Amino acid sequence: MFGLFKSNPTKKLRKQYDALLEKAMHAQRNGDIKTYSLLTAQSETLWKEIEALENKAPPK
């Protein structure tokens, strides 16, 4: 019943992940490949963390 009030731990991480990918896309479009690769690596690390949290979570 009170599960409605619990926050989703991955929701915040997914927003950060999306923001990193968007920054990486803009860096790539501007020709800044070094920044693009750094942001992409950060987003991949964050994605692994999201997957770990989702695999830990009990099924709904």
Side-chain angles (χ1 to χ4, degrees):
M1 178 175 157
F2 293 105
L4 294 173
F5 301 113
K6 290 184 181 179
S7 64
N8 187 352
T10 60
K11 188 174 182 179
K12 182 179 178 183
L13 292 175
R14 283 185 180 267
K15 282 187 178 184
Q16 290 177 349
Y17 174 75
D18 291 339
L20 278 173
L21 286 180
E22 188 171 348
K23 286 180 185 178
M25 177 192 64
H26 289 297
Q28 184 183 30
R29 285 184 179 176
N30 291 330
D32 190 358
I33 302 303
K34 184 176 181 181
T35 302
Y36 165 74
S37 62
L38 290 173
L39 290 171
T40 304
Q42 288 176 358
S43 67
E44 287 177 5
T45 304
L46 193 58
W47 183 252
K48 288 178 185 177
E49 189 176 331
I50 291 169
E51 285 183 331
L53 285 172
E54 286 180 347
N55 289 336
K56 242 191 217 183
K60 293 181 181 179

